[in-house]
Amino acid sequence: MRLTALVGGVAGALVLTGCGTGDDGADATEDAGPHTLTVYAAASLTDSMERIATQFEAAQEEAGNPGVTVELNVGGSSDLLAQLRSGAPADVFASADETTMGRAAADALLEKEPELFATNVLQIATPPDNPAGIGSLADLADSENQVVLCAPEVPCGAAAERVQQAAGTDIEPVSEERVVTDVLGKVSSGEADAGLVYVTDVLGAGDDVLGIDFPESAEAVNNYPIAALADSEQDGLAQAFVDFVVGESGQQILADAGFGAPDT
């Protein structure tokens, strides 16, 4: 798996390339031979999409289409959309919310109607020893606590605003990040007392952070949509990847990572 950072343009995106084993969506490509499929995916999907890409590549090979490579460009959903709007070449877009995907649809960037494939909710993340004694969403509004949130224009930030409205609290963050993994990084490094991230981010971080559930999270469930892009030069392969994500293999990988079933 090769990992490199994209330089310039919109910050916070990474490129990952991988190969491996799997099944669904393996027979919908135009022709056999080398293909690189570029998938733009929300940062919270990074680990899951790496596994899905690995299995999809092997499924294609088993179906007689060797040489398929999936290149993942992961970052904040809004930043990825900005790249697509500026003409960046891509085949598939997976967003962390329906609002961002709706903007992509309004700009005629999609080949077909997007399909919902997962849900996610917020969780409070603290350093493992929780030095500030955070126990609830209300604690994040205490000015003595150093709290990091996602910026309001990105999906995790919009969700953070909704839970604050539900709880009647007003959190004043010390910083606002454009990518949820940056929030997690500041918490795990001890730069912040707490942050709001997705439950899947907490699970993926293992012992690096402590996750704290709060009831208001149910008021901000994010639905994740995915779609093949209109400008893709290999729309059959792009749709095959979408089918793989919403199929049995993709759904199992997402469930293992803590994502909820799509809210259809």
Side-chain angles (χ1 to χ4, degrees):
M1 189 73 62
R2 188 175 78 248
L3 173 63
T4 57
L6 289 184
V7 179
V10 182
L14 300 173
V15 175
L16 305 96
T17 305
C19 53
T21 45
D23 47 23
D24 332 13
D27 57 356
T29 61
E30 294 88 344
D31 57 80
H35 294 278
T36 297
L37 187 76
T38 302
V39 177
Y40 277 39
S44 52
L45 291 164
T46 302
D47 291 343
S48 296
M49 279 298 180
E50 286 184 50
R51 291 185 59 200
I52 287 171
T54 294
Q55 292 197 14
F56 178 76
E57 290 169 351
Q60 288 293 312
E61 185 166 1
E62 290 171 4
N65 188 30
V68 171
T69 299
V70 177
E71 186 176 84
L72 298 177
N73 179 10
V74 296
S77 296
S78 298
D79 290 344
L80 295 175
L81 176 58
Q83 294 178 47
L84 294 173
R85 282 171 164 170
S86 68
D91 301 294
V92 177
F93 181 36
S95 172
D97 70 344
E98 293 179 275
T99 299
T100 304
M101 186 64 78
R103 291 171 182 149
D107 289 344
L109 296 176
L110 310 183
E111 176 67 20
K112 294 182 178 180
E113 287 292 318
E115 299 185 54
L116 298 180
F117 67 95
T119 59
N120 214 347
V121 295
L122 296 178
Q123 192 172 44
I124 299 168
T126 73
D129 56 350
N130 192 7
I134 303 295
S136 68
L137 189 66
D139 291 337
L140 302 189
D142 188 331
S143 60
E144 294 185 1
N145 294 325
Q146 303 291 298
V147 178
V148 183
L149 300 178
C150 288
E153 62 269 22
V154 301
C156 57
E161 288 195 329
R162 294 201 302 275
V163 297
Q164 289 179 75
Q165 292 170 2
T169 60
D170 186 15
I171 301 169
E172 295 291 339
V174 295
S175 73
E176 293 180 334
E177 308 299 328
R178 295 194 61 81
V179 184
V180 67
T181 48
D182 289 347
V183 176
L184 189 70
K186 289 195 171 184
V187 173
S188 63
S189 67
E191 293 181 58
D193 295 318
L196 285 177
V197 300
Y198 295 117
V199 63
T200 53
D201 296 307
V202 173
L203 288 171
D207 295 335
D208 290 342
V209 297
L210 174 68
I212 300 169
D213 292 325
F214 60 99
E216 296 87 356
S217 65
E219 302 299 322
V221 178
N222 274 19
N223 289 300
Y224 283 53
I226 187 170
L229 293 170
D231 286 344
S232 172
E233 295 182 356
Q234 43 195 356
D235 53 351
L237 187 62
Q239 188 58 47
F241 186 84
V242 171
D243 293 343
F244 193 89
V245 171
V246 301
E248 183 178 353
S249 296
Q251 290 298 293
Q252 185 60 59
I253 289 170
L254 291 159
D256 290 344
F259 287 94
D263 184 10
T264 58

